Every structure is written in C-alpha cells, then in structure tokens.
Amino acid sequence: MTTRIRRYVETDTGHRVPNHKSKCRHFHGHRYRFEAEIEGDIVDTPGVSEEGMVMDFSDVSQILMEHIHDVVDHAFIVYSGDEEAKLALSHLNSEHRTFVVPFIPTAENLAKWAFDQVEPHIKNSYGTALKLVAMHVRETPKSWATWMP
Ligand SMILES: [Zn+2]
C-alpha cells in the first residue's frame, strides 16, 4: 500500500515554439504550474516531525523552488536550435534571464526537464519507499502535460 502526495510551484515564464503552425511561434509567456507527484509509505517512526506523512510538503516546496522556480521564473526559455530567437535575445543586456535548453520548450518537454531537475532531491529519510512518480505541467488552465519514467 502506498500513498501519493502532490505539491506545485508556479512560475511566470516566456517561451516560443518555433515551428508551430499558429500563434505559439510568437514570443509569449505562461503562468506555468509544475506539480510533483510523490509516492511512498507513510512515516511511522514515533515522534519524528514527518510522522504520519509521506514527505513534508514544505520540504517538497523547497526543492521545487530551488530547482524549478528559481531557474525559470521571470526567464525566457529558448531552444538551443532556435537561432532566430537566440539572436533576438542576445540584444538584451546581460541581466536578462535567458534559459537555453536542448529541446523545444513545449509543456511535454518541460515536464521531463522538471522531473529530471527534481528527482535526485527526493530523498528517503526514514527507510520508507519514496519516489517521484510524475511531473505534471500546466501551461494554461486547459492544457497539461505529464511525464513519468
Ligand atoms: Zn506557449
């Protein structure tokens, strides 16, 4: 028997999908939601802070903030193969947060990226099975992508 928990972080992030047949090829942004889904046994060690929890939500939040939010919030994500966008962004001053990735920044690809950012930090403290099972990315209120290994 296992239990799953979810916690999300939100970012305001720009991107474009360079080959898109319609408006997604333009520079624009989203209020992204990156939601980690973690599965594990409930900690039953008496008296510890996490007793009764799979993992402390605040610890999950801290990982999401450091490894997702602080990387892409108020940044522009650009595909390394998108020479036109990289040239345009190169005219901005060095304080501009341009985040170059080796993939087209769709919600699907960002879900895998976010999973890989977070997964090494989901650690097991009390000998219980604990793992990141999925990363969900909401690009718009109607549009989600999920990546799971
Ligand atoms: Zn978009």
Side-chain angles (χ1 to χ4, degrees):
M1 299 292 275
T2 55
T3 304
R4 288 187 177 189
I5 62 169
R6 294 181 178 207
R7 176 91 183 201
Y8 67 78
V9 68
E10 292 189 326
T11 71
D12 295 310
T13 304
H15 83 148
R16 79 165 187 154
V17 178
N19 304 322
H20 189 252
K21 64 187 175 193
S22 183
K23 60 188 179 182
C24 290
R25 68 177 181 272
H26 303 306
F27 280 25
H28 66 283
H30 298 281
R31 178 79 177 180
Y32 282 100
R33 179 177 295 181
F34 294 90
E35 186 170 300
E37 184 171 351
I38 296 164
E39 182 178 281
D41 298 325
I42 293 174
V43 174
D44 60 0
T45 306
V48 301
S49 175
E50 290 88 349
E51 185 178 5
M53 303 175 185
V54 169
M55 185 174 172
D56 193 320
F57 285 121
S58 66
D59 292 342
V60 182
S61 179
Q62 196 174 338
I63 292 166
L64 296 176
M65 286 298 287
E66 182 177 347
H67 299 284
I68 296 176
H69 178 275
D70 293 353
V71 179
V72 299
D73 185 55
H74 287 79
F76 193 94
I77 301 177
V78 62
Y79 167 45
S80 57
D82 187 350
E83 298 299 338
E84 187 181 33
K86 286 199 304 182
L87 178 62
L89 292 161
S90 73
H91 290 285
L92 299 174
N93 73 42
S94 60
E95 291 180 12
H96 183 263
R97 299 181 74 181
T98 300
F99 185 61
V100 181
V101 294
F103 52 82
I104 293 173
T106 57
E108 292 89 334
N109 285 335
L110 287 170
K112 181 178 189 313
W113 170 79
F115 186 99
D116 292 342
Q117 288 286 107
V118 169
E119 197 275 335
H121 305 285
I122 302 300
K123 294 204 174 76
N124 175 344
S125 304
Y126 295 99
T128 59
L130 186 65
K131 64 176 182 177
L132 181 64
V133 291
M135 181 66 71
H136 310 279
V137 173
R138 189 195 75 168
E139 192 171 76
T140 75
K142 298 178 183 175
S143 309
W144 290 82
T146 295
W147 197 82
M148 54 183 80

